[in-house]
Amino acid sequence: MNQTNSKQLWAEANNLLVGGVNSPVRAFKGVGGTPFFVKSGSGARITDVDGNEIIDYVLSWGPLVLGHAHPAVVEAVSDALRRGASFGIPTEAEIRLAERIVRHVPSMRKVRLVNSGTEATMSAIRLARGYTSRDLVVKVEGCYHGHVDSLLVKAGSGLTTFGVPTSPGVPGPYAKCTLTMPYNDLDAARALFQEHGARIACLILEPVPGNMGMILPQPGYLEGLRDITREYGALLIFDEVMSGFRVALGGAQARYGVVPDLTTLGKVIGGGLPVGAYGGPAEIMNNLSPEGPVYQAGTLSGNPLATAAGLATLAALEAEGVVDAMEKKMAVLAEGFGDIAREAGIPIFQSRAGSMACMFFHDGPVRNYADALQSDTKRYAKFFWGMLERGVYFAPSQFETFFFSTAHGAPEIDQTLEAARDVFKTL
Ligand code: KE4
């Protein structure tokens, strides 16, 4: 795969941008080598600066559920831009986006729009601490909630890739206010709450984690967390920045029927533009400024371009059966991968729900962070590069998730499986 121009740009990027990137995972440290530079995208495919056309299963790490440059999104954002990019004054589109979010995630009765998933989780935790007047936060090992100081404790995603269990720069006292527990382990949750419950403001987790690879909740796990948090008066926060509008239109809480106290969203609700959101019952949310004492603000929160992109995306997603159709296509791909891996005698463990999925190079099961870390990351790197050379782009780390868009269809699945048939022979 010709990467002449990418290599040239990579040298320039490293001269000015830290690590050549504006977000660590893009640097391909998890798979070695150097990243390609993208020039454009359309539907399920991207074209890099050397003219290579590539099927994209990363989709900007989840937001592009309609694929690249969807006409409805392009038109909506262009139209909004012609009327002004930002006002810092209320606009109707913010109401309409909140309306659509609440329609699908009714537990988010009151919403606050922000500019990223990190802002959403950081603010939700501040709100939970303000509402409960408690300091401790519980997080799940391997879950990633953005680069929030108090949550960079055994975080997943980039930090797992870099093997840094906690990030330097997080003050000791912050880390002391954060307790961690393994995913899919109710006994550990119970024990932790029995010891600290009276001081715990909230438990935040990805109900379907996608930042240690993707792992599904064991039956009864989410229900158990709901009961335990309620028993101790701690808020349950579902970080659905990734799973929202992916594992189901209403996210994991709709798929598994477990209702959290607060929910955080991002990615899909911005359709590729910067949007995050958090929400919950008015009784909790009205503690936020200007209604209440918990402060949070943002110059560009709910801006016209991002809300236009989000509205166009959710409107298209609401079309009958779109999410189910993507789940069915994911199943075809997963079945194909399973057959190919068996023929090659290579152990893999797959998980998927809705339009997100993961393939661990691990003979399974993968139920938590410790299991995920046993994956064969060297083999994953060989898989990644073999597929990329054949025009198929998966996440540049074993500890991420891959995504479908409504634009991925039979041609993409066929090309992907044909490439995988070749690549698995080399693993
Ligand atoms: P952002 O601040 O990156 O918009 O969202 C942070 C975040 C919060 N919660 C969950 C569940 C998330 O997955 C994320 C961000 N996800 C990573 C991908 N694993 C973003 C990619 C990156 O860091 O560049």
Side-chain angles (χ1 to χ4, degrees):
M1 174 173 157
N2 169 23
Q3 287 203 306
T4 312
N5 293 331
S6 283
K7 298 269 186 221
Q8 166 61 34
L9 289 173
W10 183 241
E12 287 181 63
N14 274 280
N15 185 24
L16 287 167
L17 300 170
V18 177
V21 293
N22 286 304
S23 196
V25 71
R26 302 178 196 169
F28 280 19
K29 297 278 188 203
V31 290
T34 58
F36 60 90
F37 279 67
V38 66
K39 183 168 191 159
S40 64
S42 174
R45 295 166 186 266
I46 48 182
T47 303
D48 73 8
V49 293
D50 291 290
N52 299 299
E53 186 183 278
I54 302 162
I55 298 172
D56 183 5
Y57 284 103
V58 180
L59 294 168
S60 186
W61 304 95
L64 301 174
V65 71
L66 303 182
H68 293 277
H70 188 284
V73 175
V74 173
E75 177 46 38
V77 175
S78 310
D79 177 49
L81 181 56
R82 278 191 285 273
R83 287 183 278 109
S86 182
F87 303 100
I89 304 167
T91 59
E92 181 182 355
E94 296 161 75
I95 305 168
R96 299 298 163 236
L97 182 56
E99 213 169 40
R100 277 189 193 274
I101 288 171
V102 175
R103 181 184 308 162
H104 297 293
V105 191
S107 67
M108 295 175 76
R109 176 62 193 75
K110 289 293 273 296
V111 175
R112 173 59 60 87
L113 299 176
V114 291
N115 298 282
S116 71
T118 297
E119 254 196 284
T121 58
M122 174 178 70
S123 310
I125 284 169
R126 183 183 310 130
L127 175 60
R129 284 173 159 153
Y131 176 73
T132 60
S133 304
R134 298 178 181 181
D135 291 342
L136 297 189
V137 170
V138 180
K139 79 170 292 287
V140 169
E141 290 163 14
C143 284
Y144 175 68
H145 305 289
H147 57 93
V148 187
D149 269 355
S150 56
L151 296 183
L152 288 178
V153 176
K154 289 191 181 179
S157 187
L159 280 168
T160 300
T161 304
F162 291 104
V164 177
T166 56
S167 168
V170 176
Y174 277 40
K176 284 200 181 58
C177 283
T178 307
L179 301 166
T180 61
M181 64 182 198
Y183 186 65
N184 274 330
D185 183 339
L186 279 178
D187 292 342
R190 244 180 237 106
L192 189 149
F193 273 80
Q194 271 157 8
E195 189 175 349
H196 305 285
R199 297 174 52 221
I200 295 173
C202 60
L203 158 60
I204 183 168
L205 80 156
E206 296 173 71
V208 177
N211 287 287
M212 46 178 148
M214 177 182 172
I215 300 178
L216 297 177
Q218 303 277 311
Y221 178 64
L222 297 177
E223 294 84 343
L225 294 183
R226 176 65 286 180
D227 295 343
I228 293 169
T229 47
R230 188 170 283 129
E231 182 186 340
Y232 287 90
L235 297 191
L236 177 60
I237 303 177
F238 274 6
D239 176 358
E240 298 227 47
V241 166
M242 187 185 287
S243 57
F245 296 94
R246 280 260 177 216
V247 300
L249 259 187
Q253 55 197 274
R255 191 176 181 102
Y256 297 101
V258 176
V259 181
D261 296 300
L262 292 176
T263 301
T264 57
L265 297 174
K267 296 183 191 275
V268 165
I269 64 167
L273 270 68
V275 179
Y278 60 111
E283 191 233 336
I284 300 175
M285 292 300 288
N286 285 344
N287 284 273
L288 265 182
S289 176
E291 291 295 286
V294 179
Y295 195 70
Q296 181 266 312
T299 303
L300 296 175
S301 295
N303 80 73
L305 305 190
T307 48
L311 276 166
T313 298
L314 297 191
L317 256 190
E318 283 170 357
E320 198 46 37
V322 160
V323 177
D324 294 349
M326 280 191 278
E327 178 147 356
K328 288 195 179 72
K329 287 189 272 189
M330 291 289 268
V332 172
L333 188 66
E335 206 179 306
F337 277 144
D339 295 343
I340 291 166
R342 251 187 313 282
E343 277 157 39
I346 303 229
I348 61 169
F349 180 79
Q350 299 188 75
S351 49
R352 61 186 166 80
S355 58
M356 57 192 265
C358 172
M359 173 165 47
F360 291 100
F361 281 90
H362 186 301
D363 47 10
V366 177
R367 294 148 306 188
N368 55 38
Y369 188 52
D371 289 349
L373 290 177
Q374 302 306 314
S375 304
D376 184 337
T377 51
K378 285 192 175 50
R379 188 168 254 176
Y380 182 85
K382 280 185 76 176
F383 165 76
F384 170 83
W385 283 109
M387 294 300 282
L388 186 58
E389 273 142 32
R390 292 165 177 80
V392 185
Y393 175 51
F394 280 95
S397 162
Q398 168 70 91
F399 305 108
E400 294 290 350
T401 296
F402 69 87
F403 304 95
F404 248 57
S405 78
T406 51
H408 285 69
E412 285 71 36
I413 294 173
D414 294 347
Q415 182 180 334
T416 303
L417 292 177
E418 194 184 325
R421 223 163 269 116
D422 275 1
V423 171
F424 266 78
K425 289 177 190 139
T426 69
L427 300 182

